[in-house]
C-alpha cells in the first residue's frame, strides 16, 4: 500500500499565470506492480464539471520505501473558464490513482483576485478579467483530504467495505494512526 507523507504547496501566492508547484512525498510499504498516476485538476466552475481543467497527469514509478518528486504544471487556461467565475474562490485538486482507481484526493481552496489593491476595491467593468492583472493564493494550510478504498494488487477490500467507498474525508489529515491506510500528516509550507 501507499501512504502519502507530505504534499507541500510551493509558491502558494503567485501570479495567476504562473506554474503551480507541489512537492509530493509518499511511502510504499509494498512495491506496487504498476506506476502511480498523479493528476492536477483546476475546478473551473462551482456549477458544473464541464469547465474543470486537467492541468496534467503523470505516471510515477514507485519504489519500495520513501519517494519524493516535485510536480510542476502550467496554470489553467483562462479562456476556458466562465468569465463570471474567474475571480473569486475555486479549488485545485491533487489526485492519486492506482490502476485507474482514485485512492486519494487533496483539495485546496484558491482565491483569485486582482493583484493591484485599487483594482480589488474598484474592479473594472469588463466582460472578462485580464489574466495578466490577476493573482492566485492557494490556501495551503487547510487541505480537504479524501481517501478512497481501492484494491491494491492481490489485496481486495474487506467484504463489509466496497471498493471506491470513501474511507475518510476531513479538513487536514487528522490522526494518522486512526486511519485504515495508516496515513501520516501532510507537511505544509509556512
Amino acid at each position: 500500500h501507499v501512504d502519502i507523507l507530505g504534499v507541500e504547496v510551493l509558491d502558494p501566492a503567485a501570479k495567476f499565470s504562473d506554474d503551480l508547484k507541489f512537492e509530493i512525498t509518499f511511502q510504499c510499504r509494498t512495491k506496487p506492480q504498476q506506476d502511480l498516476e498523479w493528476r492536477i485538476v483546476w475546478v473551473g466552475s462551482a456549477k458544473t464539471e464541464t469547465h474543470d481543467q486537467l492541468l496534467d497527469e503523470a505516471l510515477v514509478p514507485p519504489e519500495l520505501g520513501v519517494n519524493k518528486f516535485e510536480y510542476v504544471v502550467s496554470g489553467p487556461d483562462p479562456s476556458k473558464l466562465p468569465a463570471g467565475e474567474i475571480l473569486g474562490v475555486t479549488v485545485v485538486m491533487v489526485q492519486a490513482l492506482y490502476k485507474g482507481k482514485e485512492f486519494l484526493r487533496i483539495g485546496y481552496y484558491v482565491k483569485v483576485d486582482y493583484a493591484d489593491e485599487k483594482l480589488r476595491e474598484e474592479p473594472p467593468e469588463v466582460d472578462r478579467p485580464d489574466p495578466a492583472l490577476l493573482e492566485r493564493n492557494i490556501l495551503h494550510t487547510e487541505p480537504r483530504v479524501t481517501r478512497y478504498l481501492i484494491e491494491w494488487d492481490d489485496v481486495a477490500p474487506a467484504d463489509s467495505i466496497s471498493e471506491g467507498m470513501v474511507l475518510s474525508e476531513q479538513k487536514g489529515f487528522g490522526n494518522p494512526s486512526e486511519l485504515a491506510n495508516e496515513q501520516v500528516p501532510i507537511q505544509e509550507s509556512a
Side-chain angles (χ1 to χ4, degrees):
H1 293 83
V2 176
D3 297 323
I4 306 304
L5 301 179
V7 175
E8 183 176 352
V9 178
L10 307 175
D11 301 329
K15 292 180 181 178
F16 182 76
S17 59
D18 287 353
D19 290 344
L20 288 94
K21 301 174 189 174
F22 302 89
E23 184 179 81
I24 300 172
T25 307
F26 64 93
Q27 179 176 358
C28 295
R29 292 185 276 139
T30 58
K31 184 162 175 30
Q33 295 172 1
Q34 296 181 17
D35 292 347
L36 299 179
E37 181 179 352
W38 294 88
R39 295 179 185 166
I40 307 292
V41 176
W42 184 273
V43 175
S45 172
K47 299 172 186 164
T48 176
E49 292 181 10
T50 60
H51 297 289
D52 289 359
Q53 293 182 38
L54 176 62
L55 301 181
D56 191 64
E57 56 188 335
L59 293 175
V60 176
E63 296 297 328
L64 195 58
V66 176
N67 299 255
K68 181 187 276 192
F69 69 101
E70 191 170 300
Y71 201 174
V72 179
V73 301
S74 296
D77 179 348
S79 70
K80 295 180 180 177
L81 300 172
E85 295 190 57
I86 294 174
L87 295 175
V89 177
T90 189
V91 173
V92 65
M93 295 183 290
V94 177
Q95 299 173 310
L97 298 89
Y98 184 64
K99 294 183 178 179
K101 306 277 184 165
E102 184 177 22
F103 66 90
L104 180 76
R105 178 181 298 176
I106 305 167
Y108 296 94
Y109 288 111
V110 182
K111 183 174 183 193
V112 178
D113 208 341
Y114 285 101
D116 182 85
E117 185 176 338
K118 289 182 181 181
L119 290 175
R120 280 194 302 269
E121 291 173 3
E122 294 181 37
E125 292 190 27
V126 294
D127 291 337
R128 179 173 286 278
D130 180 352
L133 301 175
L134 303 180
E135 66 182 2
R136 66 160 192 266
N137 186 1
I138 299 174
L139 306 177
H140 63 282
T141 58
E142 295 187 22
R144 304 292 177 174
V145 180
T146 306
R147 293 177 183 83
Y148 301 94
L149 193 61
I150 66 166
E151 184 173 325
W152 291 93
D153 296 325
D154 298 326
V155 181
D159 289 338
S160 63
I161 302 175
S162 316
E163 184 175 36
M165 181 178 198
V166 174
L167 186 60
S168 68
E169 189 171 38
Q170 62 202 55
K171 184 167 84 172
F173 274 70
N175 183 348
S177 64
E178 295 175 0
L179 301 174
N181 279 347
E182 298 175 8
Q183 302 290 338
V184 297
I186 286 280
Q187 303 298 313
E188 299 296 337
S189 60

